[in-house]
Amino acid sequence: MISPMPEKNPSITAPLSGGLRTPPGLMFAVLLFWGWQTNLFLMGLLLGVVIEGSRIIQSRWEFHQNDFRRIWNLCTVLFVGASVYGFASNDGAAAVTNLLEATSPANRTVALANTTKSVLVLFQWLPMVFAPIMAAQVYGNREMIDISRFSWLARRRAQNDDALFGQFSLNVSFPYFALCLFSASAANANFRWFFPALVGFIVWALWFHRPVRYSPVTWVCTVVLIAGCGFAASLGLSQAQRMVEGLDSLILSRFGRQNVDSKVRTSLGSIGKLQLSKKIVYRLETQGQAPPAYLREGSYNLFKSPLWYVTRRDFQSVIPETETSWRLLPTKISRRSVTISGLLPKGRGSLPLPYGTSQLEDLPVYALETNRMGVVHVKEGPGFVSFQAKYDKGPSLDCAPELDDLDIPLTEKRAVAEVAAQLGLSNGEPPELVLRKLQSFFINQFEYTTWLGDDAPTKSGLTPLAKFLTSTKKGHCEYFATATVLLLRQAGIPARYALGYSVQERAGKEYLVREKHAHSWAMAYYDGLWHDFDTTPPSWKESSNHETSLFQNISDGWSRMWFEFNRWRWTKNAFRDYVLWGLVVLLVLLLSRLFWKKRVLRVNKKKSAPSRKQVWPGKDSELYLVEKKLAALGLGRLPAETLSSWARRIQVRAPCRAQLQQLILLHYKLRFDPAGLSSNDRAALKEKAQEALQQTGRS
């Protein structure tokens, strides 16, 4: 609350009395509420005890205005440190990277949502960040802080005799109260009593400062009306939020990195242009070897348009050889290797691996598991991994074929059988010959496109895949992979649907894998092994690398910096402890500089000297004599009523109404003008007061 600043007196030893502090117990209650909402209950309890304890403890620090400036600078440092730590600990910078690299509204929406999470965490910490200035307020010997202490610009304007910045001060109690409520709301805990609690705290705070001109009943009814309107608005916003969140998640992220699930949705039958982000998700180093063609994250064996399913996805834990070495296929010796680096959001997710991976080195995860579909999943680990995958041709983690690997959905059998007959595919035909026929068929007769829809009229009743095979003959990789899997099965060759990334972009000594390189392909089983088989025309790679964003170089540079930061952050032990201890050391240094040679003042009202009390200008104003005289006639001031309002109210009945307005103007000048009254004006005040007393006495 901003009010005219009292006379500065550095010799004050007792806290100033005034109505600018929050009511007793309010800060303790609201800090407990904040701690409860943000899961920082102990911190809320500690802050509440410290702040409300100032009403009991009679010790006060002798602060000058420059001391408040240093404490505010400390809060600024804490805010910056909390921002860095909050973003680093919650992948906030990665979300900013996604926001810069997003090329579609859907991707930008997802990136913005991830960024918001980190910002909300910072908001929840604000009561801790600004606790020092609040503690200085309640334990200091001054109830008001010069507003210029909060800003270098304000201090400069105050030095230039700016009236606004030179005459006003601030008590931070109510702003800190509002900050605690704001931080509690950032927790988004969906607590059903949050809104009633919020209203209760606000009513508690305002009750002691309500206008006396209105009755308590009128004031309460007004507050209830306002609270009801606010509650109705919050319900409307909540309903609108649920409607937005209920939209098909397919709109938000199509080819983003996916965790292993029992099903995956394709875009078969969808309409629109496939928008893929250019965000870098992995970096590969091959030590001079050729890179693997594909990095697989998942495999599926049951198709029900437009979904691919896994019939059984049970995972089994992998026992590590050492803390960072994991042998997936104990009997296999692999000669090829690749180093794969990338973020692991929330410390869990599927690892992108080349086919035939037998061993993982330098992988400091806590729990690793695999399943029968060849998926390697990190159950618990750091937020960033940089590991070496050893792989080669031969056996893999994939289980032997099952009946589901030959299943063709009833809705697709007619079209698949028709195409197989055209190609002369039949059971018992050599697998190599079948693969050559399919490769030639799709490359020579089909076209790759990212447009999700068809331009030519087709027979009614056909599924999207049937239209692709018999009519449109153009689509993206999901069409080619799904059609290839079903045609292989029609020829009696077990097949599965694979999902992951294609490795195709070289940058210096490393290879970059972006979200736009997300890819689907088939896996065929013959000669006792599974083999990657991709029938998507090669033009898809040219299409993927053709379009470049205007800010591609900027976003790639930012991605590199964020990559190196995470490499350092997660490869250093206890990074967060380093940050916290660094903030603690900085805090101790700042506090030492601030409080060095300061003394604690013991306030003892019984023994305090009268000469050390605050002397307010205008206490000897003759207007008070006139006010006392009028009060004896039943024309006294109401509680909290200003002099101007009082004069207007009694103007008709006051015997000295002619002198009253002039008296008030001179009194205000004596009371608040830094220059005070001149000798002539002081004499005029006494003269007018004497006339008013005489006039009142004759009534």
Side-chain angles (χ1 to χ4, degrees):
M1 302 180 66
I2 298 178
S3 62
M5 185 177 175
E7 182 184 36
K8 298 181 180 180
N9 187 353
S11 64
I12 300 174
T13 61
L16 300 177
S17 60
L20 295 179
R21 289 193 63 181
T22 53
L26 177 61
M27 287 308 306
F28 181 77
V30 78
L31 282 167
L32 284 183
F33 180 71
W34 161 76
W36 180 25
Q37 289 290 292
T38 59
N39 294 323
L40 297 169
F41 186 80
L42 292 180
M43 180 58 68
L45 177 63
L46 176 62
L47 291 178
V49 170
V50 169
I51 292 176
E52 286 296 335
S54 65
R55 301 181 186 274
I56 301 175
I57 300 175
Q58 295 298 307
S59 299
R60 290 294 181 267
W61 290 97
E62 186 179 13
F63 287 131
H64 299 287
Q65 294 298 338
N66 285 335
D67 297 327
F68 287 118
R69 175 177 59 81
R70 297 188 185 100
I71 296 174
W72 178 252
N73 291 340
L74 169 63
C75 293
T76 303
V77 173
L78 292 177
F79 179 80
V80 174
S83 302
V84 174
Y85 181 73
F87 270 68
S89 301
N90 295 277
D91 297 325
V96 175
T97 302
N98 298 348
L99 192 61
L100 290 174
E101 297 175 340
T103 57
S104 68
N107 291 330
R108 282 192 294 270
T109 301
V110 175
L112 185 60
N114 293 334
T115 306
T116 302
K117 294 179 182 178
S118 299
V119 175
L120 289 178
V121 170
L122 174 61
F123 286 167
Q124 295 174 33
W125 294 347
L126 292 181
M128 295 185 292
V129 171
F130 294 101
I133 192 67
M134 181 60 184
Q137 176 78 83
V138 297
Y139 283 100
N141 60 325
R142 296 175 180 271
E143 190 166 350
M144 309 297 291
I145 303 176
D146 189 342
I147 195 174
S148 65
R149 303 302 101 182
F150 298 100
S151 168
W152 173 84
L153 178 61
R155 289 194 297 274
R156 184 171 182 178
R157 295 184 64 175
Q159 293 172 358
N160 294 334
D161 297 329
D162 190 305
L164 175 63
F165 294 95
Q167 299 181 10
F168 287 92
S169 58
L170 173 70
N171 186 295
V172 300
S173 298
F174 274 101
Y176 188 77
F177 164 76
L179 180 68
C180 292
L181 292 180
F182 171 75
S183 299
S185 67
N188 193 25
N190 293 324
F191 175 49
R192 64 166 56 185
W193 294 106
F194 177 83
F195 189 83
L198 178 67
V199 174
F201 285 125
I202 294 177
V203 170
W204 186 356
L206 297 181
W207 176 260
F208 296 91
H209 301 278
R210 68 187 189 280
V212 295
R213 70 184 67 180
Y214 302 109
S215 67
V217 175
T218 303
W219 188 84
V220 170
C221 291
T222 303
V223 170
V224 171
L225 177 62
I226 295 174
C229 294
F231 184 69
S234 68
L235 290 180
L237 291 175
S238 299
Q239 185 176 1
Q241 179 183 1
R242 287 193 294 269
M243 292 176 60
V244 173
E245 291 176 348
L247 295 176
D248 189 355
S249 59
L250 179 63
I251 300 176
L252 296 180
S253 178
R254 174 58 208 93
F255 263 119
R257 56 176 15 167
Q258 307 173 41
N259 292 328
V260 174
D261 201 350
S262 59
K263 63 183 178 182
V264 61
R265 176 182 291 272
T266 68
S267 293
L268 302 184
S270 300
I271 297 177
K273 184 174 177 59
L274 197 66
Q275 297 287 348
L276 302 180
S277 169
K278 296 178 177 61
K279 184 187 71 170
I280 300 173
V281 291
Y282 297 111
R283 297 175 185 269
L284 276 62
E285 298 177 17
T286 60
Q287 292 80 41
Q289 303 178 15
Y294 307 100
L295 298 177
R296 179 163 52 116
E297 287 189 334
S299 301
Y300 304 85
N301 60 354
L302 185 62
F303 179 64
K304 292 183 180 180
S305 184
L307 300 174
W308 273 99
Y309 293 85
V310 176
T311 52
R312 298 199 312 272
R313 58 186 296 269
D314 299 332
F315 282 91
Q316 295 181 349
S317 297
V318 180
I319 306 300
E321 289 189 325
T322 65
E323 291 184 355
T324 60
S325 179
W326 308 78
R327 186 172 290 276
L328 307 178
L329 298 173
T331 61
K332 181 177 180 180
I333 299 177
S334 300
R335 294 168 296 177
R336 304 181 64 186
S337 66
V338 59
T339 299
I340 303 173
S341 305
L343 293 174
L344 194 63
K346 297 183 180 180
R348 57 181 179 269
S350 298
L351 295 179
L353 299 175
Y355 174 82
T357 298
S358 61
Q359 188 169 351
L360 303 176
E361 298 286 351
D362 302 323
L363 182 62
V365 300
Y366 316 123
L368 194 69
E369 54 188 8
T370 63
N371 70 357
R372 48 192 288 277
M373 302 300 291
V375 175
V376 179
H377 185 261
V378 175
K379 191 175 182 180
E380 186 178 0
F384 175 88
V385 291
S386 182
F387 62 95
Q388 184 183 50
K390 295 184 178 181
Y391 68 102
D392 213 333
K393 297 179 180 179
S396 67
L397 291 171
D398 304 270
C399 67
E402 301 172 341
L403 291 178
D404 291 328
D405 297 317
L406 291 171
D407 178 74
I408 300 176
L410 183 62
T411 56
E412 311 292 352
K413 280 189 175 181
R414 181 176 178 180
V416 171
E418 180 182 335
V419 173
Q422 293 176 4
L423 297 176
L425 303 179
S426 61
N427 282 325
E429 195 171 6
E432 292 81 1
L433 180 58
V434 174
L435 298 183
R436 284 199 299 270
K437 289 181 178 180
L438 290 177
Q439 192 81 55
S440 176
F441 173 65
F442 284 113
I443 290 180
N444 296 327
Q445 299 186 33
F446 285 74
E447 177 187 350
Y448 175 83
T449 179
T450 56
W451 175 259
L452 310 182
D454 53 350
D455 300 325
T458 60
K459 301 177 183 179
S460 60
L462 294 181
T463 65
L465 184 64
K467 292 180 182 180
F468 168 74
L469 284 172
T470 62
S471 178
T472 61
K473 294 189 176 183
K474 58 183 179 181
H476 49 81
C477 60
E478 292 178 333
Y479 281 95
F480 288 95
T482 302
T484 301
V485 170
L486 298 186
L487 287 171
L488 286 170
R489 293 177 177 181
Q490 182 70 24
I493 300 176
R496 292 174 181 170
Y497 179 89
L499 183 66
Y501 296 91
S502 170
V503 182
Q504 55 185 269
E505 181 180 345
R506 184 166 187 172
K509 296 182 179 181
E510 65 180 6
Y511 289 84
L512 304 180
V513 178
R514 304 178 185 270
E515 279 193 351
K516 69 178 182 178
H517 297 147
H519 192 48
S520 301
W521 64 94
M523 293 180 64
Y525 187 84
Y526 58 92
D527 295 339
L529 296 172
W530 289 97
H531 302 265
D532 291 328
F533 181 49
D534 188 5
T535 58
T536 304
S539 59
W540 90 271
K541 296 182 179 180
E542 299 176 3
S543 174
S544 174
N545 295 325
H546 176 68
E547 298 180 359
T548 57
S549 171
L550 177 63
F551 301 102
Q552 185 71 60
N553 293 333
I554 298 177
S555 62
D556 283 356
W558 172 258
S559 177
R560 165 57 72 178
M561 290 189 294
W562 180 238
F563 171 83
E564 295 297 340
F565 170 75
N566 277 279
R567 183 199 293 274
W568 174 80
R569 168 193 173 188
W570 291 105
T571 54
K572 300 289 184 181
N573 294 328
F575 168 80
R576 299 180 184 182
D577 293 340
Y578 297 155
V579 175
L580 287 177
W581 280 112
L583 291 176
V584 169
V585 172
L586 179 61
L587 179 62
V588 170
L589 292 176
L590 290 174
L591 289 177
S592 300
R593 181 175 181 270
L594 176 64
F595 297 118
W596 188 254
K597 295 183 180 180
K598 286 287 180 181
R599 59 189 182 92
V600 178
L601 304 176
R602 300 292 179 180
V603 177
N604 190 333
K605 295 183 178 179
K606 294 183 179 180
K607 298 181 179 180
S608 58
S611 60
R612 297 176 67 86
K613 292 184 178 179
Q614 172 72 7
V615 179
W616 291 94
K619 284 291 186 179
D620 57 344
S621 174
E622 288 76 9
L623 176 64
Y624 295 123
L625 299 176
V626 178
E627 179 187 5
K628 183 177 180 181
K629 190 71 173 179
L630 290 173
L633 298 178
L635 301 177
R637 289 171 58 192
L638 298 176
E641 187 176 23
T642 64
L643 290 172
S644 298
S645 300
W646 170 59
R648 287 194 299 269
R649 182 170 58 82
I650 67 172
Q651 182 175 5
V652 177
R653 294 180 293 165
C656 56
R657 52 183 173 273
Q659 297 86 3
L660 192 57
Q661 289 293 343
Q662 299 179 16
L663 276 172
I664 291 175
L665 292 176
L666 291 172
H667 170 80
Y668 275 151
K669 188 173 182 181
L670 172 65
R671 181 71 175 82
F672 298 112
D673 193 334
L677 287 179
S678 64
S679 57
N680 293 335
D681 287 341
R682 193 69 178 86
L685 176 60
K686 293 180 180 180
E687 181 182 350
K688 294 294 182 184
Q690 191 65 31
E691 293 177 3
L693 290 173
Q694 294 174 359
Q695 186 71 25
T696 304
R698 291 195 295 266
S699 300

